Amino acid sequence: MKKFLALALSLTMALSLAACGSSASSAAPAASGSGAAEAPAWKFERNIEIVCPWGAGGGADTTLRTFAAALEKEIGVKVVINNKTGAGGTTGVEYAMQQPADGYTWLLCTQSPLLAQLTGAATTDVKGGITPVVRLVHDTNVIVTGKNSPYNTFAELQEYIKANPGKVKAGCMSITGLDGVCVQQAFNGDVEAVAYTEGAQLNSDVMAGHISLAVVGPAEIQALVESGDVKPILICSENRMTMNAFKDCESAGDLGIDCYYGPYRGIFCANGTPAEAIAAFEAAAEKAVASSDFQNWAASQGLDQRPGWQNTADFTATWAADTADLEKLVAEISK
């Protein structure tokens, strides 16, 4: 982790941050709504807006749109998605913070904008300006290689790296985000992370052998694994995946590598939002995430591999722990 933060501090202008990972609670909320306050006093009287700091079609956007469809059935008003992209997600966060804290503007966010602030890559006060509400999902990063690569396992890859110093590079959607952390932690600094702006291009390049490795999500690469065009080398989580395409691939936990980072996506609001509105949103969100529509979609995307849902209390604790941990590590590197 220290090596990653050293890299992040030296790359403060690289703002194409990806989503980050953390600890988890229950995989899905109980349908009874036991994790949220019962019969919230707040009633939504007009459409609500949920800001997505990343573009349409990406993992954050598709998660939010699936959630919003389920949420509308529970919250009683229309849910409007507003994609406000730019600056690694901090543009959208700042926009959400600038709206009235009246319970009608919400924000989908990850740790990436927070990491941008802590490493000095952005000035938006993510840490001090937003309040965690609920966590929706917790994804898993997967390191893959092309079908013609001369290695099939992580051990064989390590041997190849030793025999060919500097040759192996790993494509990431963010070299200063948590996918960049995965590269640093998995290879102890021996593999260079290369930034990509388009996931389709990264997939194409690793499939064709133009880049040795790619750090991707399972949903983004599953079809190419099933077709045999790419090979999974490492699952960046504590346990192996149960998805057929990845079930035979070793996990970081199998190998004792501290490389468990994967993006989680949660809902936040601006500080000062009424507690009654937060409780009402939490109650509706719990039912939406527990719905068969959302759970079936999550399973189809490989988002059932890690516990995802957290209610307000649990997500607040997770966010605080992540913030404190990152602050300490950044401070150590800055000395």
Side-chain angles (χ1 to χ4, degrees):
M1 175 65 84
K2 291 184 178 181
K3 292 189 177 183
F4 157 69
L5 287 166
L7 172 66
L9 289 168
S10 69
L11 294 169
T12 56
M13 297 307 293
L15 288 174
S16 58
L17 297 173
C20 307
S22 181
S23 59
S25 182
S26 57
S32 63
S34 59
E38 293 186 6
W42 183 275
K43 180 175 175 58
F44 292 97
E45 298 177 344
R46 64 179 191 271
N47 296 349
I48 65 169
E49 174 186 30
I50 306 182
V51 179
C52 180
W54 295 280
D61 178 74
T62 54
T63 298
L64 180 54
R65 291 183 185 277
T66 306
F67 168 68
L71 182 66
E72 282 189 346
K73 300 175 182 178
E74 304 296 340
I75 207 165
V77 296
K78 183 176 177 58
V79 179
V80 179
I81 307 300
N82 188 355
N83 295 88
K84 289 285 185 180
T85 64
T90 58
T91 296
V93 174
E94 188 166 1
Y95 169 83
M97 290 166 54
Q98 291 170 346
Q99 306 312 301
D102 58 4
Y104 288 91
T105 301
W106 307 84
L107 168 73
L108 180 99
C109 196
T110 71
Q111 284 186 341
S112 291
L114 172 64
L115 188 58
Q117 177 190 356
L118 296 181
T119 58
T123 58
T124 300
D125 187 14
V126 180
K127 173 189 171 185
I130 58 176
T131 297
V133 179
V134 295
R135 191 174 74 175
L136 306 178
V137 296
H138 186 188
D139 207 349
T140 302
N141 276 326
V142 180
I143 298 176
V144 301
T145 189
K147 65 179 180 180
N148 295 322
S149 297
Y151 34 80
N152 296 292
T153 66
F154 189 79
E156 292 175 357
L157 171 58
Q158 290 284 55
E159 289 300 316
Y160 184 86
I161 292 170
K162 291 178 183 178
N164 300 273
K167 185 174 181 179
V168 176
K169 294 178 171 49
C172 300
M173 295 306 295
S174 165
I175 58 175
T176 56
L178 263 292
D179 44 357
V181 172
C182 288
V183 175
Q184 291 298 311
Q185 294 299 98
F187 302 107
N188 198 30
D190 293 332
V191 172
E192 179 185 351
V194 177
Y196 276 73
T197 58
E198 296 290 338
Q201 186 63 55
L202 174 56
N203 291 350
S204 177
D205 280 0
V206 74
M207 181 171 59
H210 299 318
I211 192 163
S212 305
L213 306 170
V215 181
V216 292
E220 302 155 15
I221 207 71
Q222 180 179 0
L224 294 179
V225 174
E226 291 174 341
S227 68
D229 289 307
V230 300
K231 302 178 290 190
I233 292 293
L234 182 69
I235 306 300
C236 299
S237 68
E238 298 84 351
N239 303 303
R240 295 195 184 198
M241 302 184 74
T242 60
M243 299 170 68
N244 285 335
F246 304 100
K247 66 180 182 180
D248 295 326
C249 183
E250 294 173 311
S251 72
D254 289 334
L255 302 175
I257 302 171
D258 183 10
C259 180
Y260 305 139
Y261 306 104
Y264 65 60
R265 299 164 193 138
I267 301 295
F268 295 74
C269 61
N271 290 349
T273 298
E276 296 85 357
I278 293 175
F281 189 100
E282 176 190 16
E286 184 170 20
K287 293 178 181 178
V289 171
S291 70
S292 59
D293 285 347
F294 188 87
Q295 288 299 310
N296 289 339
W297 172 83
S300 74
Q301 301 297 302
L303 292 170
D304 60 343
Q305 300 296 299
R306 288 177 132 168
W309 166 262
Q310 287 188 325
N311 62 25
T312 300
D314 290 340
F315 191 31
T316 298
T318 292
W319 185 255
D322 290 345
T323 300
D325 185 49
L326 287 172
E327 282 182 319
K328 290 177 182 178
L329 291 168
V330 170
E332 289 177 6
I333 296 300
S334 300
K335 291 179 181 178

